[in-house]
């Protein structure tokens, strides 16, 4: 810039890093632009003369630069000053206003001395006072407010001056001082103030105690000087009250510390999460971050404060459901919904996202709610999601990012305020529906003897889902959004701040939504976090057998001859809503092999042929519970059976040992075949269907009869041989007495037969 002006500030750049740059304000420029007068705004000197061309050359050569510089006094608004300060300013102005107009003589020392002398004699002022008035006026850019006293620089604003032990007691005297002058109290020294801040951080903010409770705990922990024994116990002894700070003093310093740093104090007192959600300043609008429908969706989950019953057995209470909601930031339109028992997890989020991308008429009809297309016209995907760092921060969402081209923005931990629209809807949901239902948890603390709210539950999961769908329809079609930032185009088009109207208008104006076929959604959204096992019974997934054409064609189920990989497990993509089919992922995800149920009458199928996995798992859980309950009876009967077996085996072994005594192994195994035939003949006598005796020989052929006779003869010879051996043994040794255990077992056996 070649042209200089009055009041322009020149910053002279010093080559010495240790020296500060000088700032000079231009006060006067001669008409011929040959010279000018400047004053150092940071110093205390009078104006000096400089050549106009020298300043220009310095600016061109970057030895100086022209800057915008404003002093504090220039920013003062006269209307905000009290009368005393205005009167002080006006008195100073009255003294110098005549001589400051005499330019450039007022800048020349020999003429300035004459003019200042006139003011001194006329108004009775000292020379230093008049010189200060002139300098203040010129430094402030020839502004009359430059004559105002710098009271705002007095008192070391923002800093507290601590007292010392030697100082007199500050503040109002205590009433006790009138009676006992020695008890004047103590000052808040650095040591006392440090204890105040410790109590503030540990007790008031850390333990969430009240001011009074924090003060009491501070006194008993930080001001105790000795302990005494009373009644066998050690008790703390505090000094006299005149040697302690008062609770009012503690309160004053706590509040003052909060005022100096209100954000840190409130965050420490209420916690970061609660501060960000409920206390932080609610400036700005999340709605303005989206240019139209589909620019940004917000997704979040909550556990509904209502207990539900089982749809298959109402006597079973299944607890609280999970509700996932997806809202469009621009229109506050609910684009997707999931109500179930999954989550908060990727499975629940996936269900909500899938619901967002499909037509809503079949979905609503499944729960007995019949709507028109224009009531919920959303089967689209956005450009960006805002979600928690939880269910969508997983490997499952990679396919959604890549296949569906959706950018996911993750909210910081404990920053629910990053998703204010969907978070606020949960509050509306609780007040408008959930807290009115039977089995809803009350916000009040349960009193002793009060009935358990879970026992009041009456709704099943499908019934609650139907109510949620109706609530969504009500919100989308009728909710008037207070404080919605309507722009001029919306007002001109007569658009009301109702989600459906904003949605329809935004689509016409911006059109940022995308649609995908259902098959594409399945491939990119179906969870792939589970594996199926290939066995000879089929492809087993969650205990349910499946098959596919490829498995049967390639012989996957051949026992010990599995041709599909070396391992017998394969990754599966499945739809949690249906159990009728699953998909095996092949060739690094490029192929999906559809698998169907082997047993179409399996428990996983209902009347329509499809049952949700959560329903099947719930039924399976019921069966598992009943099995566990039956385990006691089964174990008891098994113990009885094992006891009978053990007794019978012991009895038989002892009888056998007695009968085999004195016989060799060869003698025992000889004639096994003839023994079997003889035993069979004896069994036939009581195994036939008729009570009267039947002649067995008449029914056998001649060859069979000859074989039987020969075998019987051999059997009799074996018996005679055994008897001879026993007789020979008895001649050598006497027979051992019968075992008492054997007698007891025989008696017990006889009692059971009787």
């Amino acid at each position: 810039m070649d042209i200089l002006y009055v009041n322009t500030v020149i910053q002279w750049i010093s080559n010495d890093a240790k020296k500060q740059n000088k700032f000079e304000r231009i006060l006067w420029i001669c008409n011929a632009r040959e010279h000018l007068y400047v004053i150092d705004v940071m110093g205390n000197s009078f104006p000096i003369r400089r050549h106009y061309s020298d300043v220009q050359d310095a600016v061109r050569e970057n030895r100086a630069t022209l800057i915008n510089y404003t002093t504090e006094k220039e920013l003062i608004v006269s209307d905000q000053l009290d009368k005393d300060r205005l009167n002080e300013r006006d008195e100073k102005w009255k003294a110098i206003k005549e001589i400051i107009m005499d330019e450039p003589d007022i800048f020349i020392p020999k003429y300035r001395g004459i003019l200042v002398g006139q003011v001194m004699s006329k108004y009775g002022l000292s020379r230093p006072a008049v010189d200060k008035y002139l300098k203040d006026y010129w430094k402030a850019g020839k502004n009359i407010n430059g004559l105002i006293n710098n009271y705002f620089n007095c008192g070391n604003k923002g800093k507290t001056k601590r007292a010392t032990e030697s100082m007199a007691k500050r503040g109002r005297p205590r009433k006790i001082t009138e009676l006992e002058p020695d008890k004047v109290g103590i000052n808040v020294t650095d040591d006392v103030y440090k204890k105040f801040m410790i109590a503030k951080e540990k007790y008031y903010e850390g333990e969430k105690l009240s001011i009074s409770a924090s003060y009491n705990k501070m006194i008993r922990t930080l001001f105790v000087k000795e302990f005494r024994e009373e009644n066998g116990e050690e008790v703390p002894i505090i000094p006299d009250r005149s040697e302690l700070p008062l609770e009012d003093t503690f309160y004053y310093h706590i509040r003052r510390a909060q005022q100096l740093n209100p954000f840190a104090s409130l965050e420490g007192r209420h916690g970061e999460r609660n501060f960000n959600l409920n206390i932080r300043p609610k400036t700005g609008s999340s709605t303005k971050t989206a240019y139209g429908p589909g620019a940004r969706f917000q997704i979040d989950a909550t556990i509904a404060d209502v207990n539900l019953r089982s749809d298959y057995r109402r006597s079973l209470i299944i607890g609280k459901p999970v509700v996932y909601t997806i809202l469009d930031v621009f229109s506050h339109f609910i684009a997707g919904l999931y109500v179930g028992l999954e989550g908060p997890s990727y499975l629940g989020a996936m269900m909500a996202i899938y619901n967002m991308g499909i037509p809503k008429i079949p979905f609503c009809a499944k729960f007995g709610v019949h709507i028109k297309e224009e009531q919920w016209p959303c089967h689209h995907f956005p450009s960006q999601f805002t979600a928690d760092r939880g269910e969508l921060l997983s490997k499952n969402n990679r396919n959604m990012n890549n296949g569906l081209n959706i950018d996911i923005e993750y909210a910081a931990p404990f920053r629910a305020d990053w998703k204010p629209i969907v978070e606020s809807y949960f509050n509306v949901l609780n007040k408008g529906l959930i807290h009115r239902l039977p089995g809803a948890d009350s916000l009040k603390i349960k009193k002793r003897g009060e009935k358990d709210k879970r026992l009041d539950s009456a709704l099943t999961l499908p019934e609650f889902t139907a109510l949620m769908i109706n609530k969504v329809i009500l919100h989308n079609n009728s909710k008037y959004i207070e404080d919605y930032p309507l722009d001029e185009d919306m007002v001109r088009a007569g658009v009301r701040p109702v989600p459906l109207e904003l949605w329809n208008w935004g689509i016409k104006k911006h059109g940022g939504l995308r649609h995908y076929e259902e098959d594409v959604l399945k491939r990119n959204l179906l969870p792939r976090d589970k594996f199926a096992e290939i066995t000879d019974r089929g492809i087993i997934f969650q205990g349910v057998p499946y098959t596919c054409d490829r498995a049967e064609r390639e012989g996957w189920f051949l026992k010990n001859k599995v041709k599909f990989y070396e391992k017998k497990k394969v990754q599966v993509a499945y739809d949690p809503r249906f159990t009728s089919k699953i998909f095996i992922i092949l060739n690094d995800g490029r192929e999906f092999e559809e698998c169907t149920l082997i047993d179409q009458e399996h428990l996983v199928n209902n009347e329509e042929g499809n049952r949700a996995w959560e329903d099947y798992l719930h039924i399976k859980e019921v069966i598992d519970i009943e099995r566990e309950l039956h385990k006691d009876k089964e174990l008891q009967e098994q113990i009885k059976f094992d006891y009978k077996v053990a007794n019978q085996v012991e009895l038989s072994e002892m009888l056998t040992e007695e009968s085999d005594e004195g016989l060799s192994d060869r003698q025992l195994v000889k004639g096994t075949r003839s023994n079997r035939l003889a035993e069979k003949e004896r069994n036939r006598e009581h195994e036939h269907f008729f009570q009267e005796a039947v002649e067995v020989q008449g029914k056998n052929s001649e060859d069979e009869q000859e074989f039987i006779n020969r075998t019987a003869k051999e059997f009799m010879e074996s018996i005679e041989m055994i008897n001879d051996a026993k007789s020979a043994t008895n001649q050598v040794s006497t027979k051992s007495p019968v075992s008492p255990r054997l007698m007891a077992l025989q008696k017990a056996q006889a009692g059971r037969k009787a």
Side-chain angles (χ1 to χ4, degrees):
M1 180 197 291
D2 295 336
I3 302 177
L4 303 178
Y5 301 97
V6 173
N7 266 344
T8 299
V9 176
I10 306 167
Q11 179 183 4
W12 294 92
I13 301 174
S14 175
N15 293 327
D16 189 353
K18 297 181 179 180
K19 293 184 179 180
Q20 295 182 349
N21 296 331
K22 182 183 292 187
F23 297 88
E24 294 180 346
R25 186 186 293 276
I26 300 176
L27 300 179
W28 181 83
I29 303 174
C30 71
N31 294 333
R33 296 192 179 275
E34 294 179 353
H35 59 271
L36 49 81
Y37 282 93
V38 297
I39 186 172
D40 185 358
V41 296
M42 304 294 291
N44 193 35
S45 59
F46 280 107
I48 61 174
R49 179 178 174 177
R50 290 188 182 276
H51 289 285
Y52 190 94
S53 59
D54 291 344
V55 176
Q56 285 184 318
D57 293 342
V59 173
R60 293 192 189 103
E61 296 171 3
N62 294 326
R63 291 182 288 108
T65 182
L66 305 180
I67 64 172
N68 295 323
Y69 185 92
T70 304
T71 62
E72 290 181 320
K73 293 183 179 180
E74 291 179 78
L75 301 175
I76 295 176
V77 180
S78 300
D79 295 342
Q80 297 180 354
L81 297 175
D82 56 54
K83 292 182 179 180
D84 293 338
R85 298 187 68 187
L86 287 175
N87 291 336
E88 291 176 357
R89 182 199 66 180
D90 294 341
E91 288 294 327
K92 296 176 182 179
W93 173 247
K94 182 180 178 181
I96 66 172
K97 70 177 180 179
E98 295 179 358
I99 64 174
I100 61 172
M101 300 301 178
D102 194 357
E103 296 178 343
D105 292 346
I106 192 65
F107 303 125
I108 302 173
K110 64 179 180 179
Y111 297 124
R112 182 171 60 245
I114 298 173
L115 296 174
V116 171
Q118 294 174 358
V119 174
M120 293 169 55
S121 60
K122 184 176 180 179
Y123 294 99
L125 298 173
S126 65
R127 187 176 187 87
V130 179
D131 290 346
K132 184 177 184 305
Y133 297 165
L134 293 173
K135 293 174 184 178
D136 290 345
Y137 175 75
W138 288 328
K139 290 178 184 179
K142 296 183 178 181
N143 191 321
I144 188 175
N145 286 337
L147 301 174
I148 297 174
N149 290 327
N150 296 339
Y151 292 143
F152 47 80
N153 288 334
C154 300
N156 203 7
K157 185 178 181 180
K159 296 183 179 179
T160 303
K161 295 180 180 179
R162 302 280 172 241
T164 62
E165 298 289 348
S166 59
M167 280 187 179
K169 174 65 174 68
R170 290 177 173 180
R172 185 183 61 185
R174 301 185 181 184
K175 293 182 179 180
I176 192 66
T177 308
E178 299 178 2
L179 300 177
E180 300 182 36
D182 294 337
K183 296 184 178 181
V184 295
I186 64 172
N187 283 320
V188 179
T189 61
D190 288 336
D191 182 60
V192 174
Y193 182 77
K194 184 178 180 181
K195 294 179 179 179
F196 283 176
M197 294 303 102
I198 292 174
K200 169 181 174 292
E201 181 178 352
K202 292 184 61 177
Y203 309 141
Y204 181 68
E205 295 177 354
E207 299 182 14
K208 307 296 186 295
L209 300 179
S210 64
I211 290 286
S212 180
S214 300
Y215 171 79
N216 292 337
K217 192 166 185 178
M218 177 190 69
I219 295 297
R220 77 169 186 264
T221 56
L222 302 179
F223 285 89
V224 172
K225 293 185 177 180
E226 62 175 322
F227 289 84
R228 295 178 185 173
E229 185 177 350
E230 294 183 3
N231 298 326
E233 295 181 356
E234 192 178 60
V235 296
I237 304 299
I238 62 174
D240 187 79
R241 193 165 180 266
S242 63
E243 301 177 24
L244 297 173
L246 296 179
E247 182 178 336
D248 291 344
T249 306
F250 175 72
Y251 176 85
Y252 167 79
H253 284 280
I254 293 298
R255 290 296 184 231
R256 182 172 176 81
Q258 288 181 323
Q259 292 172 359
L260 294 177
N261 194 353
F263 285 91
S265 297
L266 290 173
E267 187 174 329
R269 173 71 173 172
H270 299 280
E272 180 183 5
R273 183 173 183 270
N274 190 39
F275 174 81
N276 290 328
L277 185 61
N278 300 317
I279 302 175
R280 68 174 182 87
K282 303 298 190 297
T283 57
S285 174
S286 177
T287 304
K288 294 182 179 180
T289 62
Y291 60 84
R296 184 191 298 267
F297 282 3
Q298 293 179 358
I299 179 173
D300 202 4
T302 186
I303 299 177
D305 293 332
V306 61
N307 292 280
L308 302 180
R309 298 268 180 164
S310 171
D311 188 39
Y312 308 101
R313 190 176 297 176
R314 282 189 179 264
S315 61
L316 298 177
I317 299 174
I318 63 175
K320 301 176 182 179
V322 177
V323 178
Y324 268 91
T325 309
I326 302 176
L327 277 87
D328 174 52
V329 173
F330 174 80
S331 62
H332 298 203
F333 186 86
I334 299 178
L337 176 71
Y338 167 71
V339 182
L341 305 178
E342 290 292 345
S345 63
Y346 173 79
L347 207 58
M350 184 272 294
M351 295 286 287
I353 295 172
Y354 181 82
N355 176 264
M356 176 189 67
I358 62 173
K360 301 302 187 294
I361 294 179
F363 166 72
C364 296
K366 180 181 177 182
F367 297 96
V369 180
H370 303 285
I371 64 172
K372 299 179 180 178
E373 176 65 24
E374 57 269 19
Q375 289 181 286
W376 201 351
C378 178
H379 46 86
H380 308 89
F381 270 70
S383 300
Q384 188 179 58
F385 265 121
T386 300
D388 286 327
R389 296 174 57 87
E391 50 268 36
L392 291 183
L393 188 62
S394 66
K395 62 182 180 180
N396 285 315
N397 70 352
R398 297 174 186 171
N399 301 313
M400 184 167 61
N401 290 343
N402 301 326
L404 303 178
N405 193 25
I406 295 177
D407 180 27
I408 301 179
E409 177 190 53
Y410 298 106
F414 304 108
R415 292 306 302 269
D417 54 298
W418 285 22
K419 311 184 302 299
I421 297 177
V422 68
E423 291 285 350
S424 61
Y425 178 71
F426 289 145
N427 295 330
V428 175
L429 186 63
N430 283 327
K431 295 178 182 178
L433 174 63
I434 293 178
H435 289 164
R436 299 160 49 189
L437 300 176
D441 282 350
S442 174
L443 296 179
K444 299 179 181 178
I445 299 177
K446 181 182 177 181
K447 298 181 180 179
R448 183 178 181 182
E450 188 177 357
K451 184 180 179 181
D452 193 334
K453 293 294 182 182
R454 291 175 294 183
L455 300 177
D456 295 332
S457 59
L459 296 172
T460 63
L461 183 60
E463 293 168 349
F464 178 71
T465 304
L467 294 179
M468 285 295 302
I469 292 174
N470 283 286
K471 180 64 178 176
V472 169
I473 300 299
L474 176 66
H475 172 87
N476 286 345
N477 292 266
S478 304
K479 174 64 177 178
Y480 191 93
I481 305 173
E482 300 290 344
D483 302 325
Y484 185 88
L486 293 170
D487 58 28
E488 293 183 3
D489 292 338
M490 295 178 182
V491 176
R492 190 179 300 111
V495 178
R496 296 175 298 175
V498 175
L500 183 61
E501 295 188 25
L502 295 170
W503 175 271
N504 292 332
W505 182 86
I507 291 176
K508 295 178 182 178
K509 295 290 290 185
H510 302 286
L513 295 171
R514 290 175 290 174
H515 175 71
Y516 296 97
E517 296 297 328
E518 188 170 351
D519 184 60
V520 177
L521 295 182
K522 289 179 180 179
R523 287 177 178 265
N524 290 280
L525 289 178
L526 292 181
R528 306 179 184 184
D529 56 344
K530 296 184 183 297
F531 290 82
E533 186 177 4
I534 301 175
T535 68
D536 57 340
R537 296 184 296 111
I539 303 171
I540 307 300
F541 179 68
Q542 305 267 62
V544 181
Y546 291 86
T547 186
C548 63
D549 295 338
R550 190 169 191 168
E552 295 178 356
R553 185 173 62 252
E554 297 181 0
W556 291 2
F557 308 144
L558 294 178
K559 195 171 185 180
N560 298 326
K561 294 182 180 181
V562 178
K563 297 180 180 180
F564 187 66
Y565 297 118
E566 294 181 359
K567 297 183 179 180
K568 296 183 179 181
K569 288 188 177 181
V570 60
Q571 192 176 25
V572 169
Y574 64 101
D575 188 338
R577 301 177 308 154
F578 304 108
T579 54
S580 59
K581 63 179 66 176
I582 60 175
F583 300 91
I584 293 179
I585 303 173
L586 305 173
N587 296 331
D588 299 327
R590 294 189 298 273
E591 293 185 35
F592 274 43
E593 184 72 26
E594 181 178 320
C595 301
T596 57
L597 286 168
I598 292 179
D599 183 6
Q600 294 298 330
E601 301 300 326
H602 195 271
L603 185 62
V604 297
N605 277 6
N606 58 10
E607 298 81 13
E608 291 78 20
N610 292 311
R611 187 187 299 280
W613 273 108
E614 60 185 14
D615 296 338
Y616 163 68
L617 294 177
H618 173 62
I619 297 174
K620 188 178 178 182
E621 183 179 359
V622 172
I623 295 175
D624 291 342
I625 293 174
E626 292 182 345
R627 186 182 68 234
E628 288 298 323
L629 295 176
H630 184 72
K631 284 287 186 181
D632 291 337
K633 181 178 179 181
E634 182 182 8
L635 180 61
Q636 180 63 46
E637 296 301 323
Q638 182 68 39
I639 295 300
K640 291 181 180 179
F641 173 75
D642 292 344
Y643 179 74
K644 292 179 181 179
V645 171
N647 278 349
Q648 182 64 57
V649 169
E650 186 177 0
L651 174 61
S652 300
E653 288 179 346
M654 295 184 70
L655 292 173
T656 302
E657 183 179 356
E658 183 182 5
S659 65
D660 293 348
E661 186 176 359
L663 299 178
S664 66
D665 294 342
R666 180 178 179 81
Q667 291 173 332
L668 291 174
V669 299
K670 184 178 180 180
T672 300
R673 184 175 183 183
S674 59
N675 296 342
R676 175 184 177 86
L677 289 175
E679 188 74 16
K680 182 169 67 173
E681 289 299 324
R682 285 195 296 271
N683 287 339
R684 284 181 176 179
E685 295 179 0
H686 57 80
E687 287 180 351
H688 58 78
F689 292 152
F690 307 101
Q691 297 296 329
E692 63 273 10
V694 178
E695 189 67 31
V696 179
Q697 294 180 356
K699 295 184 178 181
N700 298 324
S701 63
E702 294 180 359
D703 294 338
E704 291 175 345
Q705 187 62 41
E706 183 182 356
F707 175 76
I708 293 172
N709 293 336
R710 186 174 67 254
T711 304
K713 183 178 179 181
E714 293 176 356
F715 175 72
M716 295 303 297
E717 292 176 353
S718 299
I719 294 297
E720 291 177 358
M721 185 186 304
I722 292 172
N723 291 333
D724 293 341
K726 286 185 177 181
S727 300
T729 303
N730 292 334
Q731 293 176 0
V732 178
S733 61
T734 59
K735 190 174 183 180
S736 60
V738 180
S739 170
R741 174 60 178 164
L742 175 60
M743 296 178 61
L745 290 172
Q746 288 177 331
K747 185 176 181 180
Q749 188 74 5
R752 285 198 295 271
K753 290 181 179 180

